[in-house]
Amino acid sequence: MVALLVLGVLGWLYSQADTSTVGELGFERELKVPPLLEPRTDGDGRKVFDLELQAGTSELLPGKTSETWGANGPYLAPTLRASRGDEVLVHVRNELPETTTTIHWHGMHLPAAADGGPHQMIEPETTWSPTWTIDQPAATLWYHPHLHPETEEHVYRGITGMFLLDEPAADALPIPKQYGVDDIPVIIQDKSFEESGSLDLSQSVISPTGILGSDILINGTYDPHVEVADSLVRFRLLNASNARIYNVGFDDDRAFDLIATEGGLLEAPEHMTRIQLSPGERAEIVAEFEPGEEVVLRSFEPELGTSFWDGRFSGADDSFDLVQVRAGDALDSSPELPDRLADHEPLDTTDVAETRRFELQGNSQINGMTMDLSRIDEVVERDTTEIWEVRNSSGSPHNFHIHGVHFRVLEYAGDAPPPGLMGMKDTVYVPPNETVRVLTEFGTYTDPELPYMFHCHVLQHEDRGMMGQSVVVEPGQQSPPVLPDHDH
């Protein structure tokens, strides 16, 4: 009898795990495009952005109201934009009700004090004002809360925005670049809702990844379509979900060109039909359309490398329609993509200063330890190149994100990196029982007492302790094994 009961429960759980929406949407709502936040210029010539974190209500599902968080609005956040060489100042005002939070600039190379990790907390009714100079290639970055151990809930409630970087060399390329017209942000989030429309923050007790929503929002829009008027359109894909992994392509299997990953443009376009994105990863793709056609951008079943059990409750069997693209009856002709997009230094491991190894264990540990905000885990010297080997020794899906730097994938699960991982990265999926080796350069910003984070970007894993801290120091400089009494 007990065995039958267990089998019955497992069967019910199995049936509940499939949340595919393919073929179920009518694409009735116009895709919202987050507004560009225009900066002002202060007396020092800095571009100044003003963000106010706030709670509100949003109609995420038609005719229903959800309590949400956002920046400069009730849900999501405006898109910030700056160019290489700009000095920026961002005032982040916390008007959330009795809630401390942080804002992390994901993918940005900047001083640790401006990074927005869990040490840079913003108390209620106070303002945090980091400033730094943009010194990295054109890229699609993003920003989101990073309060330990509450990142999962804070991100899920809705504070997410893109931060786009430009530079003259990229601006001169004949690629789509008119924001919201032929250069379209696609912020992908999964949500679950109560019958009333409120966000459902509950999760299965057997889930190895935390919250997996059954409904998809694109830029905060449910059941969306977007109308395009150009033959070539650029989509800036961002997986802003807490745990779900997407395998993005078009429903008719048409090919597209991958032109950029997290750290910026590839050397040359990569022709492909799928790009898989784990939480925090970004990709820029360019697709071609014919007049009058309609095609659906879809997430197909992801390739997680999990066991039957872990995969079933990690979304391995799920597929989703994301957004329908509707081409106009007459399209403006776009120039062909160039054969060359950017120049990258060849991979060179001859000057590697050190190889570090990180083992992701269970759903809460790196190298046998859980996160401790007072402990320094790694000390790195500035202007050095290192190899970081990251092994997922569990059966669960994990990925790995390093703050403040970008890296190149040297080896992926024992092989050369696939085309989607050839560019500059800051986040990478690590399949169960596999190892990913990356080559990363640490820059000039040093601080022996304020750390950068490295962690799994499955947010429940991060909150449970699958995160560590590294400091970048001057050559020969020491860092205290225990941090001074900062506010954290």
Side-chain angles (χ1 to χ4, degrees):
M1 179 65 71
V2 173
L4 288 175
L5 179 61
V6 170
L7 287 174
V9 170
L10 291 179
W12 180 84
L13 290 171
Y14 182 93
S15 69
Q16 296 300 303
D18 187 358
T19 55
S20 172
T21 63
V22 169
E24 295 182 359
L25 301 181
F27 308 109
E28 298 178 356
R29 309 178 86 187
E30 183 177 356
L31 179 70
K32 300 173 186 175
V33 175
L36 282 171
L37 181 61
E38 291 296 329
R40 51 191 170 85
T41 303
D42 69 6
D44 295 321
R46 297 179 294 191
K47 287 186 175 179
V48 181
F49 298 93
D50 295 294
L51 293 174
E52 182 177 294
L53 310 182
Q54 59 192 79
T57 58
S58 305
E59 187 181 290
L60 299 180
L61 293 181
K64 296 185 177 182
T65 300
S66 305
E67 295 180 354
T68 56
W69 290 358
N72 296 11
Y75 189 74
L76 292 186
T79 297
L80 310 188
R81 193 160 202 164
S83 297
R84 193 168 197 167
D86 286 343
E87 186 175 0
V88 298
L89 169 64
V90 189
H91 297 301
V92 186
R93 177 76 178 174
N94 181 7
E95 291 294 341
L96 296 171
E98 302 179 1
T99 302
T100 300
T101 193
T102 79
I103 290 294
H104 165 55
W105 317 108
H106 185 129
M108 194 75 73
H109 178 56
L110 74 180
D115 183 59
H119 292 279
Q120 288 88 47
M121 295 195 301
I122 314 170
E123 301 292 340
E125 298 184 0
T126 66
T127 301
W128 178 55
S129 299
T131 185
W132 69 96
T133 298
I134 305 296
D135 186 20
Q136 62 191 94
T140 299
L141 313 185
W142 67 302
Y143 59 100
H144 60 81
H146 207 302
L147 182 68
H148 186 68
E150 300 176 37
T151 299
E152 181 182 35
E153 179 179 340
H154 285 211
V155 172
Y156 192 76
R157 290 186 179 276
I159 300 176
T160 292
M162 283 190 173
F163 201 137
L164 307 185
L165 302 184
D166 301 312
E167 63 175 339
D171 293 343
L173 292 172
I175 58 179
K177 57 175 65 73
Q178 189 174 354
Y179 180 80
V181 178
D182 64 354
D183 183 357
I184 299 172
V186 179
I187 302 173
I188 310 171
Q189 300 168 301
D190 61 330
K191 304 293 179 187
S192 286
F193 296 92
E194 305 282 0
E195 185 64 30
S196 65
S198 298
L199 287 173
D200 182 1
L201 276 71
S202 64
Q203 54 194 272
S204 169
V205 294
I206 61 173
S207 170
T209 58
I211 298 173
L212 290 176
S214 56
D215 292 301
I216 302 296
L217 303 180
I218 305 297
N219 300 346
T221 315
Y222 176 75
D223 195 18
H225 70 266
V226 60
E227 297 181 3
V228 299
D230 297 89
S231 59
L232 291 184
V233 179
R234 176 187 193 175
F235 299 95
R236 297 181 187 253
L237 308 175
L238 161 61
N239 183 349
S241 295
N242 285 36
R244 192 174 290 283
I245 296 170
Y246 303 98
N247 191 17
V248 181
F250 290 97
D251 66 338
D252 61 357
D253 286 327
R254 72 180 59 198
F256 54 80
D257 286 294
L258 176 69
I259 64 168
T261 50
E262 290 99 88
L265 293 169
L266 305 183
E267 288 186 318
E270 288 282 353
H271 217 47
M272 55 204 312
T273 59
R274 301 282 189 275
I275 180 70
Q276 184 159 294
L277 301 174
S278 66
E281 287 187 284
R282 287 93 65 207
E284 299 179 32
I285 65 173
V286 175
E288 184 173 8
F289 300 99
E290 297 293 334
E293 70 174 341
E294 296 180 351
V295 62
V296 175
L297 190 65
R298 173 176 294 170
S299 175
F300 296 83
E301 293 180 4
E303 299 176 1
L304 303 185
T306 51
S307 67
F308 169 81
W309 175 265
D310 286 311
R312 189 59 188 159
F313 299 103
S314 302
D317 296 325
D318 289 342
S319 53
F320 299 92
D321 285 337
L322 303 178
V323 57
Q324 183 188 58
V325 182
R326 300 176 180 176
D329 292 335
L331 298 179
D332 292 335
S333 179
S334 304
E336 293 185 4
L337 290 179
D339 293 331
R340 194 78 176 173
L341 297 170
D343 292 324
H344 293 175
E345 294 292 330
L347 286 171
D348 184 1
T349 60
T350 57
D351 293 327
V352 169
E354 187 167 351
T355 297
R356 301 176 193 262
R357 294 175 174 85
F358 303 88
E359 186 173 357
L360 310 180
Q361 299 162 309
N363 291 330
S364 63
Q365 292 186 332
I366 299 178
N367 293 345
M369 296 185 291
T370 57
M371 174 65 179
D372 184 341
L373 283 169
S374 68
R375 184 188 68 234
I376 295 295
D377 298 289
E378 306 291 338
V379 179
V380 180
E381 292 187 355
R382 66 168 174 83
D383 295 324
T384 56
T385 300
E386 295 192 351
I387 292 175
W388 284 26
E389 294 184 358
V390 185
R391 179 165 180 79
N392 179 357
S393 64
S394 77
S396 297
H398 292 305
N399 67 3
F400 198 72
H401 169 52
I402 308 175
H403 286 212
V405 300
H406 292 98
F407 53 75
R408 301 273 295 279
V409 178
L410 293 172
E411 185 179 296
Y412 189 81
D415 294 317
L421 299 181
M422 294 294 288
M424 295 297 295
K425 301 279 293 173
D426 60 50
T427 308
V428 64
Y429 182 65
V430 186
N433 303 307
E434 297 289 357
T435 298
V436 176
R437 300 175 74 242
V438 303
L439 185 72
T440 184
E441 295 183 2
F442 293 87
T444 58
Y445 295 118
T446 63
D447 194 325
E449 297 183 355
L450 280 176
Y452 298 99
M453 306 295 118
F454 55 87
H455 58 87
C456 178
H457 215 284
V458 175
L459 298 184
Q460 185 192 79
H461 299 172
E462 173 186 332
D463 283 345
R464 287 181 174 179
M466 192 172 276
M467 181 161 63
Q469 302 190 115
S470 63
V471 291
V472 181
V473 301
E474 298 289 342
Q477 186 179 16
Q478 299 298 311
S479 175
V482 177
L483 291 175
D485 188 20
H486 294 301
D487 294 330
H488 54 247

